[in-house]
Amino acid sequence: MAITTKSGLFIPQVVGDKIATNYGRFITVSNFADVDTTLVARPGDTITRNQFAFIGAATVLAEGADDTPVALTSTPITKTVVKVSKQVQITDEAIMSAANDPYGEAAEQIAMAIAIKDDTDAITELKTTSQTAGTAGGGLAAAIVAGRKVFGERGMKVNNYVFVNTSDYYDMLADHANWIPASELAADLVVRGVVGQYMGAYVVPTDTVTAASPVMMLEGALKKEMKRDFLAEQDRDLSNYTWLLAGSEHRVYWLLDATGAVKLSA
């Protein structure tokens, strides 16, 4: 007599949790954006923010003299919240007959797909900066130092992150004299995705940037505004006896400070 057990069935709650868990495991660049949930449950999908220009350094004022006010200027930037989604539909036959675990694989790939899109959009937003540094063929070390020079004194007061292609990361590992491994860094940085420090910048490998074209960012320069957080869902379609797995989120990325990022050439 055949007995139906859990091993032969699709357990939707478990798979939904697996999608959400895998999403958190796959995101990289997004971990370094400040998350804002102000937009949650508010109407509208178009947002305007001001990108302020620096008013300049203070000046010496003589006794009894009047100071001259300066204007605070800004550039309005308008963005629209986007919905990022990925779905997989699986038949009962596929679940029952597959040698491996199709719905488990689908859950993992949905999370990976959205995480990659998240990181790609974050890098795209960072690249809207007009600041550049380094010279093609000049090497990673020289490019990162040049990037830190662009940040100037400000870059010495907050964390500097450099997002590099994985091939560049392995080149950094070979430069033993300038490489500081993750084991010597703060645990909170490692949990977020930092794998080491190179030329004073915290290194985050991601294939969403191309080799020899890293992107540097100061802590706090990038914001991710959520309209609705990542949501994993599943549904049963009885018209064709299939399971639908889905993951989605509604959000938008902002480069809050155009001087807080720099595109490198190495």
Side-chain angles (χ1 to χ4, degrees), residues 121-172:
D121 287 356
I123 288 294
T124 298
E125 182 63 16
L126 288 174
K127 285 183 175 180
T128 61
T129 180
S130 60
Q131 297 188 141
T132 59
T135 304
L140 292 164
I144 292 173
V145 170
R148 298 200 66 196
K149 286 181 178 179
V150 171
F151 290 146
E153 180 183 1
R154 179 179 167 211
M156 300 175 68
K157 298 178 180 178
V158 297
N159 289 342
N160 292 218
Y161 301 105
V162 58
F163 302 104
V164 302
N165 186 273
T166 49
S167 64
D168 290 336
Y169 161 60
Y170 291 118
D171 289 339
M172 291 177 175

mmCIF file of all heavy atoms in Angstrom, residues 121-172:
data_model
loop_
_atom_site.group_PDB
_atom_site.id
_atom_site.type_symbol
_atom_site.label_atom_id
_atom_site.label_comp_id
_atom_site.label_asym_id
_atom_site.label_seq_id
_atom_site.Cartn_x
_atom_site.Cartn_y
_atom_site.Cartn_z
ATOM 1 N N ASP A 121 20.921 47.558 -10.382
ATOM 2 C CA ASP A 121 20.312 48.894 -10.324
ATOM 3 C C ASP A 121 21.059 49.797 -9.346
ATOM 4 O O ASP A 121 21.170 51.013 -9.576
ATOM 5 C CB ASP A 121 18.846 48.787 -9.915
ATOM 6 C CG ASP A 121 17.973 48.231 -11.035
ATOM 7 O OD1 ASP A 121 18.505 48.001 -12.134
ATOM 8 O OD2 ASP A 121 16.768 48.027 -10.799
ATOM 9 N N ALA A 122 21.563 49.228 -8.263
ATOM 10 C CA ALA A 122 22.331 50.022 -7.298
ATOM 11 C C ALA A 122 23.614 50.545 -7.934
ATOM 12 O O ALA A 122 23.977 51.723 -7.780
ATOM 13 C CB ALA A 122 22.651 49.190 -6.057
ATOM 14 N N ILE A 123 24.313 49.679 -8.665
ATOM 15 C CA ILE A 123 25.544 50.090 -9.349
ATOM 16 C C ILE A 123 25.232 51.125 -10.425
ATOM 17 O O ILE A 123 25.956 52.122 -10.583
ATOM 18 C CB ILE A 123 26.255 48.869 -9.968
ATOM 19 C CG1 ILE A 123 26.875 47.996 -8.873
ATOM 20 C CG2 ILE A 123 27.327 49.315 -10.951
ATOM 21 C CD1 ILE A 123 28.004 48.647 -8.102
ATOM 22 N N THR A 124 24.146 50.917 -11.167
ATOM 23 C CA THR A 124 23.746 51.880 -12.200
ATOM 24 C C THR A 124 23.515 53.257 -11.594
ATOM 25 O O THR A 124 23.916 54.281 -12.162
ATOM 26 C CB THR A 124 22.475 51.403 -12.913
ATOM 27 O OG1 THR A 124 22.745 50.157 -13.561
ATOM 28 C CG2 THR A 124 22.016 52.416 -13.955
ATOM 29 N N GLU A 125 22.884 53.288 -10.430
ATOM 30 C CA GLU A 125 22.629 54.566 -9.762
ATOM 31 C C GLU A 125 23.936 55.214 -9.302
ATOM 32 O O GLU A 125 24.132 56.423 -9.454
ATOM 33 C CB GLU A 125 21.693 54.354 -8.571
ATOM 34 C CG GLU A 125 21.330 55.622 -7.825
ATOM 35 C CD GLU A 125 20.555 56.641 -8.657
ATOM 36 O OE1 GLU A 125 20.014 56.273 -9.722
ATOM 37 O OE2 GLU A 125 20.487 57.823 -8.249
ATOM 38 N N LEU A 126 24.854 54.427 -8.769
ATOM 39 C CA LEU A 126 26.151 54.974 -8.342
ATOM 40 C C LEU A 126 26.905 55.568 -9.535
ATOM 41 O O LEU A 126 27.608 56.573 -9.407
ATOM 42 C CB LEU A 126 26.997 53.887 -7.677
ATOM 43 C CG LEU A 126 26.562 53.428 -6.289
ATOM 44 C CD1 LEU A 126 27.400 52.242 -5.830
ATOM 45 C CD2 LEU A 126 26.681 54.574 -5.279
ATOM 46 N N LYS A 127 26.740 54.958 -10.698
ATOM 47 C CA LYS A 127 27.455 55.417 -11.893
ATOM 48 C C LYS A 127 26.884 56.701 -12.482
ATOM 49 O O LYS A 127 27.449 57.234 -13.441
ATOM 50 C CB LYS A 127 27.443 54.315 -12.960
ATOM 51 C CG LYS A 127 28.397 53.163 -12.665
ATOM 52 C CD LYS A 127 28.397 52.151 -13.803
ATOM 53 C CE LYS A 127 29.422 51.059 -13.586
ATOM 54 N NZ LYS A 127 29.438 50.069 -14.694
ATOM 55 N N THR A 128 25.799 57.203 -11.902
ATOM 56 C CA THR A 128 25.289 58.486 -12.379
ATOM 57 C C THR A 128 26.172 59.644 -11.925
ATOM 58 O O THR A 128 26.007 60.768 -12.391
ATOM 59 C CB THR A 128 23.847 58.744 -11.888
ATOM 60 O OG1 THR A 128 23.825 58.765 -10.453
ATOM 61 C CG2 THR A 128 22.904 57.666 -12.398
ATOM 62 N N THR A 129 27.107 59.383 -11.025
ATOM 63 C CA THR A 129 28.040 60.424 -10.614
ATOM 64 C C THR A 129 28.908 60.848 -11.794
ATOM 65 O O THR A 129 29.211 60.042 -12.679
ATOM 66 C CB THR A 129 28.945 59.931 -9.467
ATOM 67 O OG1 THR A 129 29.847 60.989 -9.083
ATOM 68 C CG2 THR A 129 29.780 58.729 -9.888
ATOM 69 N N SER A 130 29.316 62.096 -11.783
ATOM 70 C CA SER A 130 30.199 62.584 -12.852
ATOM 71 C C SER A 130 31.670 62.449 -12.463
ATOM 72 O O SER A 130 32.555 62.726 -13.273
ATOM 73 C CB SER A 130 29.880 64.051 -13.157
ATOM 74 O OG SER A 130 30.084 64.857 -12.005
ATOM 75 N N GLN A 131 31.929 62.002 -11.248
ATOM 76 C CA GLN A 131 33.314 61.914 -10.764
ATOM 77 C C GLN A 131 33.991 60.640 -11.289
ATOM 78 O O GLN A 131 33.430 59.555 -11.210
ATOM 79 C CB GLN A 131 33.339 61.921 -9.236
ATOM 80 C CG GLN A 131 32.811 63.202 -8.626
ATOM 81 C CD GLN A 131 33.017 63.276 -7.130
ATOM 82 O OE1 GLN A 131 33.332 64.345 -6.594
ATOM 83 N NE2 GLN A 131 32.845 62.168 -6.422
ATOM 84 N N THR A 132 35.200 60.810 -11.789
ATOM 85 C CA THR A 132 35.984 59.679 -12.285
ATOM 86 C C THR A 132 37.409 59.782 -11.747
ATOM 87 O O THR A 132 37.867 60.852 -11.349
ATOM 88 C CB THR A 132 36.029 59.656 -13.823
ATOM 89 O OG1 THR A 132 36.609 60.897 -14.291
ATOM 90 C CG2 THR A 132 34.633 59.510 -14.409
ATOM 91 N N ALA A 133 38.090 58.651 -11.734
ATOM 92 C CA ALA A 133 39.479 58.631 -11.275
ATOM 93 C C ALA A 133 40.173 57.407 -11.853
ATOM 94 O O ALA A 133 39.530 56.428 -12.236
ATOM 95 C CB ALA A 133 39.543 58.614 -9.748
ATOM 96 N N GLY A 134 41.492 57.461 -11.901
ATOM 97 C CA GLY A 134 42.272 56.334 -12.397
ATOM 98 C C GLY A 134 42.482 56.392 -13.899
ATOM 99 O O GLY A 134 41.835 57.170 -14.614
ATOM 100 N N THR A 135 43.382 55.537 -14.359
ATOM 101 C CA THR A 135 43.711 55.462 -15.783
ATOM 102 C C THR A 135 43.652 54.015 -16.233
ATOM 103 O O THR A 135 44.144 53.123 -15.531
ATOM 104 C CB THR A 135 45.129 56.005 -16.036
ATOM 105 O OG1 THR A 135 45.228 57.333 -15.520
ATOM 106 C CG2 THR A 135 45.446 56.002 -17.519
ATOM 107 N N ALA A 136 43.040 53.769 -17.367
ATOM 108 C CA ALA A 136 42.954 52.407 -17.906
ATOM 109 C C ALA A 136 44.358 51.820 -18.035
ATOM 110 O O ALA A 136 45.248 52.434 -18.621
ATOM 111 C CB ALA A 136 42.257 52.419 -19.256
ATOM 112 N N GLY A 137 44.558 50.651 -17.456
ATOM 113 C CA GLY A 137 45.852 49.999 -17.492
ATOM 114 C C GLY A 137 46.771 50.412 -16.358
ATOM 115 O O GLY A 137 47.873 49.876 -16.219
ATOM 116 N N GLY A 138 46.317 51.358 -15.534
ATOM 117 C CA GLY A 138 47.166 51.852 -14.440
ATOM 118 C C GLY A 138 47.165 50.984 -13.207
ATOM 119 O O GLY A 138 47.971 51.207 -12.286
ATOM 120 N N GLY A 139 46.258 50.004 -13.148
ATOM 121 C CA GLY A 139 46.232 49.087 -12.019
ATOM 122 C C GLY A 139 45.202 49.467 -10.979
ATOM 123 O O GLY A 139 44.795 50.624 -10.853
ATOM 124 N N LEU A 140 44.788 48.456 -10.220
ATOM 125 C CA LEU A 140 43.756 48.645 -9.210
ATOM 126 C C LEU A 140 44.214 49.523 -8.057
ATOM 127 O O LEU A 140 43.465 50.379 -7.576
ATOM 128 C CB LEU A 140 43.304 47.277 -8.676
ATOM 129 C CG LEU A 140 42.543 46.392 -9.667
ATOM 130 C CD1 LEU A 140 42.498 44.951 -9.169
ATOM 131 C CD2 LEU A 140 41.134 46.925 -9.873
ATOM 132 N N ALA A 141 45.437 49.308 -7.600
ATOM 133 C CA ALA A 141 45.933 50.078 -6.460
ATOM 134 C C ALA A 141 45.946 51.571 -6.773
ATOM 135 O O ALA A 141 45.471 52.398 -5.983
ATOM 136 C CB ALA A 141 47.336 49.599 -6.078
ATOM 137 N N ALA A 142 46.475 51.922 -7.937
ATOM 138 C CA ALA A 142 46.548 53.331 -8.321
ATOM 139 C C ALA A 142 45.154 53.926 -8.498
ATOM 140 O O ALA A 142 44.907 55.079 -8.128
ATOM 141 C CB ALA A 142 47.353 53.472 -9.613
ATOM 142 N N ALA A 143 44.226 53.136 -9.049
ATOM 143 C CA ALA A 143 42.869 53.633 -9.278
ATOM 144 C C ALA A 143 42.158 53.922 -7.956
ATOM 145 O O ALA A 143 41.486 54.950 -7.806
ATOM 146 C CB ALA A 143 42.068 52.617 -10.090
ATOM 147 N N ILE A 144 42.304 53.030 -6.985
ATOM 148 C CA ILE A 144 41.639 53.223 -5.695
ATOM 149 C C ILE A 144 42.230 54.409 -4.945
ATOM 150 O O ILE A 144 41.503 55.210 -4.343
ATOM 151 C CB ILE A 144 41.720 51.933 -4.852
ATOM 152 C CG1 ILE A 144 40.865 50.849 -5.514
ATOM 153 C CG2 ILE A 144 41.248 52.178 -3.415
ATOM 154 C CD1 ILE A 144 41.001 49.488 -4.877
ATOM 155 N N VAL A 145 43.541 54.559 -4.998
ATOM 156 C CA VAL A 145 44.173 55.725 -4.372
ATOM 157 C C VAL A 145 43.677 57.007 -5.030
ATOM 158 O O VAL A 145 43.373 58.000 -4.354
ATOM 159 C CB VAL A 145 45.711 55.633 -4.459
ATOM 160 C CG1 VAL A 145 46.353 56.947 -4.039
ATOM 161 C CG2 VAL A 145 46.222 54.503 -3.576
ATOM 162 N N ALA A 146 43.565 56.984 -6.354
ATOM 163 C CA ALA A 146 43.059 58.162 -7.072
ATOM 164 C C ALA A 146 41.617 58.468 -6.668
ATOM 165 O O ALA A 146 41.232 59.631 -6.510
ATOM 166 C CB ALA A 146 43.146 57.933 -8.581
ATOM 167 N N GLY A 147 40.824 57.414 -6.477
ATOM 168 C CA GLY A 147 39.447 57.602 -6.043
ATOM 169 C C GLY A 147 39.371 58.203 -4.651
ATOM 170 O O GLY A 147 38.556 59.089 -4.380
ATOM 171 N N ARG A 148 40.224 57.754 -3.758
ATOM 172 C CA ARG A 148 40.237 58.291 -2.390
ATOM 173 C C ARG A 148 40.684 59.755 -2.394
ATOM 174 O O ARG A 148 40.229 60.544 -1.567
ATOM 175 C CB ARG A 148 41.151 57.454 -1.503
ATOM 176 C CG ARG A 148 40.703 55.996 -1.359
ATOM 177 C CD ARG A 148 41.286 55.345 -0.151
ATOM 178 N NE ARG A 148 40.751 55.971 1.066
ATOM 179 C CZ ARG A 148 41.301 55.811 2.264
ATOM 180 N NH1 ARG A 148 42.391 55.071 2.402
ATOM 181 N NH2 ARG A 148 40.763 56.398 3.319
ATOM 182 N N LYS A 149 41.534 60.104 -3.325
ATOM 183 C CA LYS A 149 41.939 61.511 -3.434
ATOM 184 C C LYS A 149 40.759 62.385 -3.848
ATOM 185 O O LYS A 149 40.640 63.528 -3.412
ATOM 186 C CB LYS A 149 43.086 61.644 -4.447
ATOM 187 C CG LYS A 149 44.431 61.141 -3.943
ATOM 188 C CD LYS A 149 45.507 61.332 -5.004
ATOM 189 C CE LYS A 149 46.868 60.879 -4.498
ATOM 190 N NZ LYS A 149 47.924 61.041 -5.538
ATOM 191 N N VAL A 150 39.902 61.835 -4.707
ATOM 192 C CA VAL A 150 38.708 62.587 -5.119
ATOM 193 C C VAL A 150 37.828 62.863 -3.901
ATOM 194 O O VAL A 150 37.278 63.959 -3.748
ATOM 195 C CB VAL A 150 37.918 61.803 -6.194
ATOM 196 C CG1 VAL A 150 36.570 62.463 -6.453
ATOM 197 C CG2 VAL A 150 38.710 61.712 -7.491
ATOM 198 N N PHE A 151 37.687 61.883 -3.018
ATOM 199 C CA PHE A 151 36.871 62.060 -1.808
ATOM 200 C C PHE A 151 37.519 63.038 -0.829
ATOM 201 O O PHE A 151 36.829 63.687 -0.043
ATOM 202 C CB PHE A 151 36.648 60.725 -1.113
ATOM 203 C CG PHE A 151 35.750 59.784 -1.863
ATOM 204 C CD1 PHE A 151 35.970 58.409 -1.824
ATOM 205 C CD2 PHE A 151 34.675 60.254 -2.605
ATOM 206 C CE1 PHE A 151 35.146 57.535 -2.502
ATOM 207 C CE2 PHE A 151 33.844 59.388 -3.294
ATOM 208 C CZ PHE A 151 34.085 58.015 -3.245
ATOM 209 N N GLY A 152 38.851 63.142 -0.890
ATOM 210 C CA GLY A 152 39.554 64.099 -0.040
ATOM 211 C C GLY A 152 39.426 63.802 1.443
ATOM 212 O O GLY A 152 39.294 62.653 1.869
ATOM 213 N N GLU A 153 39.432 64.859 2.247
ATOM 214 C CA GLU A 153 39.376 64.715 3.703
ATOM 215 C C GLU A 153 38.100 64.005 4.160
ATOM 216 O O GLU A 153 38.106 63.239 5.119
ATOM 217 C CB GLU A 153 39.460 66.099 4.353
ATOM 218 C CG GLU A 153 39.411 66.072 5.867
ATOM 219 C CD GLU A 153 39.429 67.460 6.478
ATOM 220 O OE1 GLU A 153 39.467 68.454 5.721
ATOM 221 O OE2 GLU A 153 39.397 67.550 7.716
ATOM 222 N N ARG A 154 37.016 64.268 3.451
ATOM 223 C CA ARG A 154 35.745 63.650 3.814
ATOM 224 C C ARG A 154 35.826 62.134 3.778
ATOM 225 O O ARG A 154 35.232 61.428 4.602
ATOM 226 C CB ARG A 154 34.675 64.157 2.854
ATOM 227 C CG ARG A 154 33.292 63.590 3.087
ATOM 228 C CD ARG A 154 32.339 64.205 2.091
ATOM 229 N NE ARG A 154 31.084 63.488 2.054
ATOM 230 C CZ ARG A 154 30.334 63.371 0.979
ATOM 231 N NH1 ARG A 154 30.719 63.926 -0.147
ATOM 232 N NH2 ARG A 154 29.195 62.733 1.004
ATOM 233 N N GLY A 155 36.583 61.626 2.814
ATOM 234 C CA GLY A 155 36.723 60.186 2.682
ATOM 235 C C GLY A 155 37.531 59.547 3.796
ATOM 236 O O GLY A 155 37.534 58.317 3.933
ATOM 237 N N MET A 156 38.202 60.352 4.592
ATOM 238 C CA MET A 156 38.981 59.824 5.716
ATOM 239 C C MET A 156 38.126 59.706 6.974
ATOM 240 O O MET A 156 38.567 59.148 7.980
ATOM 241 C CB MET A 156 40.187 60.726 5.977
ATOM 242 C CG MET A 156 41.129 60.857 4.797
ATOM 243 S SD MET A 156 42.466 62.046 5.064
ATOM 244 C CE MET A 156 43.403 61.200 6.336
ATOM 245 N N LYS A 157 36.908 60.236 6.929
ATOM 246 C CA LYS A 157 36.058 60.262 8.121
ATOM 247 C C LYS A 157 34.932 59.237 8.083
ATOM 248 O O LYS A 157 34.279 59.008 9.098
ATOM 249 C CB LYS A 157 35.475 61.667 8.299
ATOM 250 C CG LYS A 157 36.540 62.730 8.523
ATOM 251 C CD LYS A 157 35.938 64.128 8.636
ATOM 252 C CE LYS A 157 37.015 65.171 8.869
ATOM 253 N NZ LYS A 157 36.464 66.548 8.932
ATOM 254 N N VAL A 158 34.684 58.653 6.926
ATOM 255 C CA VAL A 158 33.647 57.626 6.799
ATOM 256 C C VAL A 158 34.210 56.454 6.005
ATOM 257 O O VAL A 158 35.258 56.567 5.356
ATOM 258 C CB VAL A 158 32.379 58.169 6.090
ATOM 259 C CG1 VAL A 158 31.739 59.282 6.907
ATOM 260 C CG2 VAL A 158 32.710 58.658 4.688
ATOM 261 N N ASN A 159 33.531 55.335 6.049
ATOM 262 C CA ASN A 159 33.979 54.155 5.322
ATOM 263 C C ASN A 159 33.960 54.376 3.814
ATOM 264 O O ASN A 159 33.026 54.961 3.274
ATOM 265 C CB ASN A 159 33.100 52.952 5.656
ATOM 266 C CG ASN A 159 33.322 52.440 7.063
ATOM 267 O OD1 ASN A 159 34.334 52.741 7.701
ATOM 268 N ND2 ASN A 159 32.379 51.658 7.565
ATOM 269 N N ASN A 160 35.011 53.889 3.145
ATOM 270 C CA ASN A 160 35.094 53.886 1.683
ATOM 271 C C ASN A 160 34.878 52.447 1.201
ATOM 272 O O ASN A 160 35.584 51.532 1.647
ATOM 273 C CB ASN A 160 36.477 54.325 1.208
ATOM 274 C CG ASN A 160 36.781 55.784 1.480
ATOM 275 O OD1 ASN A 160 37.403 56.456 0.673
ATOM 276 N ND2 ASN A 160 36.397 56.286 2.635
ATOM 277 N N TYR A 161 33.929 52.248 0.308
ATOM 278 C CA TYR A 161 33.690 50.916 -0.248
ATOM 279 C C TYR A 161 34.026 50.926 -1.731
ATOM 280 O O TYR A 161 33.734 51.888 -2.442
ATOM 281 C CB TYR A 161 32.222 50.503 -0.067
ATOM 282 C CG TYR A 161 31.767 50.473 1.365
ATOM 283 C CD1 TYR A 161 30.937 51.476 1.875
ATOM 284 C CD2 TYR A 161 32.175 49.457 2.229
ATOM 285 C CE1 TYR A 161 30.530 51.453 3.204
ATOM 286 C CE2 TYR A 161 31.766 49.426 3.552
ATOM 287 C CZ TYR A 161 30.945 50.434 4.032
ATOM 288 O OH TYR A 161 30.548 50.416 5.352
ATOM 289 N N VAL A 162 34.654 49.849 -2.180
ATOM 290 C CA VAL A 162 34.934 49.727 -3.605
ATOM 291 C C VAL A 162 34.325 48.419 -4.096
ATOM 292 O O VAL A 162 34.596 47.335 -3.563
ATOM 293 C CB VAL A 162 36.452 49.793 -3.913
ATOM 294 C CG1 VAL A 162 37.240 48.708 -3.183
ATOM 295 C CG2 VAL A 162 36.699 49.720 -5.420
ATOM 296 N N PHE A 163 33.439 48.542 -5.089
ATOM 297 C CA PHE A 163 32.771 47.382 -5.678
ATOM 298 C C PHE A 163 33.573 46.951 -6.897
ATOM 299 O O PHE A 163 33.749 47.737 -7.842
ATOM 300 C CB PHE A 163 31.337 47.736 -6.050
ATOM 301 C CG PHE A 163 30.529 48.231 -4.880
ATOM 302 C CD1 PHE A 163 30.238 49.584 -4.735
ATOM 303 C CD2 PHE A 163 30.083 47.350 -3.898
ATOM 304 C CE1 PHE A 163 29.510 50.045 -3.654
ATOM 305 C CE2 PHE A 163 29.359 47.807 -2.809
ATOM 306 C CZ PHE A 163 29.069 49.154 -2.679
ATOM 307 N N VAL A 164 34.067 45.723 -6.855
ATOM 308 C CA VAL A 164 34.967 45.246 -7.905
ATOM 309 C C VAL A 164 34.449 43.945 -8.504
ATOM 310 O O VAL A 164 33.756 43.165 -7.845
ATOM 311 C CB VAL A 164 36.398 45.025 -7.367
ATOM 312 C CG1 VAL A 164 36.957 46.302 -6.769
ATOM 313 C CG2 VAL A 164 36.422 43.901 -6.325
ATOM 314 N N ASN A 165 34.796 43.712 -9.753
ATOM 315 C CA ASN A 165 34.530 42.440 -10.395
ATOM 316 C C ASN A 165 35.323 41.344 -9.675
ATOM 317 O O ASN A 165 36.400 41.601 -9.139
ATOM 318 C CB ASN A 165 34.923 42.521 -11.870
ATOM 319 C CG ASN A 165 34.544 41.284 -12.645
ATOM 320 O OD1 ASN A 165 35.289 40.315 -12.697
ATOM 321 N ND2 ASN A 165 33.363 41.299 -13.251
ATOM 322 N N THR A 166 34.803 40.132 -9.675
ATOM 323 C CA THR A 166 35.493 39.059 -8.950
ATOM 324 C C THR A 166 36.904 38.807 -9.483
ATOM 325 O O THR A 166 37.795 38.427 -8.720
ATOM 326 C CB THR A 166 34.676 37.757 -9.013
ATOM 327 O OG1 THR A 166 34.297 37.496 -10.368
ATOM 328 C CG2 THR A 166 33.438 37.855 -8.156
ATOM 329 N N SER A 167 37.132 39.020 -10.765
ATOM 330 C CA SER A 167 38.483 38.833 -11.303
ATOM 331 C C SER A 167 39.447 39.860 -10.717
ATOM 332 O O SER A 167 40.613 39.551 -10.427
ATOM 333 C CB SER A 167 38.476 38.926 -12.832
ATOM 334 O OG SER A 167 38.100 40.218 -13.268
ATOM 335 N N ASP A 168 38.962 41.090 -10.496
ATOM 336 C CA ASP A 168 39.787 42.112 -9.857
ATOM 337 C C ASP A 168 40.070 41.749 -8.402
ATOM 338 O O ASP A 168 41.155 42.015 -7.871
ATOM 339 C CB ASP A 168 39.090 43.476 -9.919
ATOM 340 C CG ASP A 168 39.031 44.042 -11.328
ATOM 341 O OD1 ASP A 168 39.878 43.645 -12.155
ATOM 342 O OD2 ASP A 168 38.147 44.867 -11.601
ATOM 343 N N TYR A 169 39.087 41.158 -7.757
ATOM 344 C CA TYR A 169 39.263 40.737 -6.363
ATOM 345 C C TYR A 169 40.419 39.749 -6.241
ATOM 346 O O TYR A 169 41.260 39.869 -5.342
ATOM 347 C CB TYR A 169 37.954 40.124 -5.860
ATOM 348 C CG TYR A 169 38.090 39.256 -4.643
ATOM 349 C CD1 TYR A 169 38.595 39.754 -3.442
ATOM 350 C CD2 TYR A 169 37.699 37.911 -4.684
ATOM 351 C CE1 TYR A 169 38.718 38.941 -2.319
ATOM 352 C CE2 TYR A 169 37.817 37.101 -3.573
ATOM 353 C CZ TYR A 169 38.321 37.615 -2.393
ATOM 354 O OH TYR A 169 38.448 36.812 -1.286
ATOM 355 N N TYR A 170 40.492 38.788 -7.157
ATOM 356 C CA TYR A 170 41.569 37.807 -7.090
ATOM 357 C C TYR A 170 42.930 38.448 -7.377
ATOM 358 O O TYR A 170 43.953 38.036 -6.824
ATOM 359 C CB TYR A 170 41.291 36.649 -8.043
ATOM 360 C CG TYR A 170 40.124 35.797 -7.594
ATOM 361 C CD1 TYR A 170 38.980 35.663 -8.373
ATOM 362 C CD2 TYR A 170 40.160 35.145 -6.362
ATOM 363 C CE1 TYR A 170 37.905 34.905 -7.947
ATOM 364 C CE2 TYR A 170 39.088 34.381 -5.919
ATOM 365 C CZ TYR A 170 37.963 34.265 -6.716
ATOM 366 O OH TYR A 170 36.897 33.522 -6.277
ATOM 367 N N ASP A 171 42.943 39.466 -8.215
ATOM 368 C CA ASP A 171 44.190 40.203 -8.443
ATOM 369 C C ASP A 171 44.630 40.925 -7.172
ATOM 370 O O ASP A 171 45.823 40.997 -6.869
ATOM 371 C CB ASP A 171 44.010 41.213 -9.575
ATOM 372 C CG ASP A 171 43.889 40.549 -10.944
ATOM 373 O OD1 ASP A 171 44.340 39.389 -11.071
ATOM 374 O OD2 ASP A 171 43.351 41.180 -11.866
ATOM 375 N N MET A 172 43.667 41.440 -6.425
ATOM 376 C CA MET A 172 43.996 42.105 -5.158
ATOM 377 C C MET A 172 44.587 41.109 -4.159
ATOM 378 O O MET A 172 45.528 41.433 -3.423
ATOM 379 C CB MET A 172 42.738 42.744 -4.561
ATOM 380 C CG MET A 172 42.208 43.937 -5.323
ATOM 381 S SD MET A 172 40.669 44.534 -4.573
ATOM 382 C CE MET A 172 40.364 46.002 -5.543
#
